[in-house]
Amino acid sequence: MTKNVIIRPFVTVLLFMMTTVAMADGATFKINEGVVDAATKAKMEKNVTQMMTVFKTAADEQEKKIKLPKENFTPEAIKDIEQMWKASAMSCPPVNIMSRCLKTSSGYQVRGIPIDMVEADQAESRQELTVDFTTDGRISGVSISIDLQRYEEIMGQKESDLDYARRQIIVDFVENFRTAYNRKDIDLLNSVFSDKALIITGKVVKEKPNSDLTRMTLNNNKVVYIKQSKQQYITNLTRVFKNTKYINVKFDEIEVVQHPKYDDVYGVTLKQYWHTSGYSDEGYLFLMIDFRDADNPLIQVRTWQPYKNAEGQVVTKREDVFHLGSFRIVR
């Protein structure tokens, strides 16, 4: 029997991942580098393989709830996966995965586990997961991954060991932030915003005379910027979550910059794609993240600017996107 095999190499000093995709009866997972202890490595491999099997079986049987073995997952991971499952069942394709494992501050991490989101449109259904582990090999978290090449670029720009550690936290933060929208986790989103967060949302509108709203003219289009409090933003988002079955949020073109004066402040700029059955948009998202409490980084500023108007004309260029220099930090 001839198998169609696709080998995708991904090489950096710190990360090597090779995924071999082959037609098989089920998905398998092996770690080829990164864990010294053989027993922990075997436990991680078993837990991920079992997770992929549970996902596929539950999706094939159209189970409304996912049942995960408690001995393989932390309670937090079970809660997160159950929330993701409420938004959409996940099925793992029949793949054989060999992965490099990364060491993190709390355990281990593997990236690029392929899944299919059942509720998503076919063209957008394939996603990849980042899986976190405790030091003893239990699965402690699952989130939707950013692109592996973008991960390499972000981590490769480190200027120190501390900067590298913070960049790793930022990537995890961004992936969990994105996944929170997919799984409609309003509690997590509420926790990551500072109570005094500045939230600005741009909207393309026809010019209205005598408006008190701040306007910026770009390419002869009017973009109105509306300031919201954290409570207003969370209230509006709660309403959207309640009235929407499935939300597919994707991040691309991610850039991470450390503040030139305050080394515990970072700016994250990215392009966000938001898609539901009734609404879609594309725009630039900027987050100012405060690391003064290293264990609980907070978003102090969130801005969103539309990329195009309804006619498909670009209304926000990359160079016009908000950035760290757009805001004055007072301490």
Side-chain angles (χ1 to χ4, degrees):
M1 177 180 176
T2 301
K3 293 183 178 181
N4 296 321
V5 180
I6 302 172
I7 300 177
R8 180 180 61 194
F10 177 73
V11 184
T12 72
V13 174
L14 294 165
L15 175 64
F16 173 84
M17 183 169 188
M18 183 173 70
T19 302
T20 304
V21 181
M23 298 308 295
D25 292 333
T28 61
F29 173 78
K30 295 290 183 182
I31 295 171
N32 60 3
E33 191 177 345
V35 184
V36 176
D37 183 70
T40 302
K41 173 177 174 290
K43 186 174 181 179
M44 293 164 65
E45 292 172 340
K46 176 183 176 183
N47 289 346
V48 173
T49 299
Q50 187 171 12
M51 180 185 74
M52 293 190 295
T53 301
V54 170
F55 281 1
K56 187 175 189 311
T57 300
D60 288 348
E61 296 179 1
Q62 300 182 359
E63 296 285 350
K64 298 297 183 183
K65 294 183 179 181
I66 185 79
K67 297 178 182 178
L68 300 165
K70 294 182 180 180
E71 64 272 18
N72 304 112
F73 298 81
T74 65
E76 294 78 14
I78 290 175
K79 179 183 176 183
D80 288 348
I81 294 171
E82 286 176 345
Q83 282 189 295
M84 292 176 72
W85 198 270
K86 286 180 181 178
S88 175
M90 296 173 284
S91 181
C92 289
V95 297
N96 302 324
I97 303 168
M98 295 192 68
S99 177
R100 162 90 164 124
C101 183
L102 302 172
K103 186 74 177 70
T104 67
S105 60
S106 58
Y108 300 98
Q109 183 182 89
V110 295
R111 309 180 63 83
I113 307 299
I115 58 163
D116 293 317
M117 306 297 288
V118 174
E119 293 294 333
D121 294 341
Q122 186 172 1
E124 300 178 337
S125 63
R126 179 58 56 89
Q127 306 278 359
E128 291 184 343
L129 295 181
T130 295
V131 180
D132 291 293
F133 302 87
T134 60
T135 54
D136 65 356
R138 289 177 300 148
I139 293 174
S140 60
V142 172
S143 59
I144 300 175
S145 305
I146 65 171
D147 180 77
L148 284 170
Q149 183 175 353
R150 182 61 63 179
Y151 176 87
E152 176 192 29
E153 292 170 355
I154 292 171
M155 302 308 295
Q157 293 168 354
K158 70 178 179 71
E159 296 183 0
S160 65
D161 289 342
L162 178 59
D163 184 38
Y164 175 83
R166 284 177 173 166
R167 285 174 179 272
Q168 191 173 49
I169 292 171
I170 286 172
V171 171
D172 291 343
F173 185 93
V174 168
E175 289 180 336
N176 280 292
F177 184 70
R178 170 194 174 182
T179 308
Y181 287 96
N182 289 76
R183 67 176 183 243
K184 298 188 280 191
D185 188 347
I186 202 68
D187 290 337
L188 185 144
L189 292 168
N190 185 60
S191 70
V192 299
F193 280 98
S194 164
D195 289 338
K196 297 181 179 179
L198 173 63
I199 299 172
I200 300 173
T201 304
K203 183 179 181 180
V204 180
V205 298
K206 293 182 180 179
E207 186 175 3
K208 296 180 180 179
N210 303 319
S211 173
D212 292 332
L213 297 174
T214 302
R215 290 196 178 91
M216 182 181 293
T217 302
L218 299 170
N219 298 333
N220 298 319
N221 289 280
K222 292 295 181 181
V223 179
V224 172
Y225 292 104
I226 302 172
K227 177 182 174 182
Q228 299 180 74
S229 68
K230 170 185 173 179
Q231 188 56 53
Q232 288 172 320
Y233 177 73
I234 293 298
T235 298
N236 292 335
L237 195 59
T238 301
R239 188 180 305 113
V240 171
F241 285 175
K242 183 178 180 181
N243 296 325
T244 307
K245 168 60 178 173
Y246 177 71
I247 300 172
N248 188 17
V249 176
K250 293 199 285 188
F251 291 162
D252 196 9
E253 301 179 23
I254 301 171
E255 180 182 8
V256 177
V257 177
Q258 187 178 34
H259 196 282
K261 181 178 179 181
Y262 302 102
D263 63 3
D264 54 5
V265 174
Y266 283 75
V268 179
T269 306
L270 56 90
K271 185 176 279 188
Q272 174 183 282
Y273 301 87
W274 178 289
H275 178 74
T276 70
S277 58
Y279 175 78
S280 297
D281 65 32
E282 178 182 354
Y284 288 106
L285 185 70
F286 170 75
L287 304 172
M288 183 189 291
I289 304 176
D290 186 345
F291 274 89
R292 281 179 292 181
D293 181 352
D295 295 327
N296 298 287
L298 289 174
I299 297 172
Q300 297 289 355
V301 177
R302 176 200 182 272
T303 70
W304 184 87
Q305 297 164 268
Y307 175 52
K308 295 180 179 180
N309 62 15
E311 289 73 39
Q313 299 169 320
V314 174
V315 295
T316 303
K317 297 179 180 179
R318 182 77 182 202
E319 58 265 29
D320 296 317
V321 175
F322 287 111
H323 52 85
L324 284 173
S326 304
F327 305 92
R328 183 165 63 95
I329 299 175
V330 179
R331 289 185 173 177

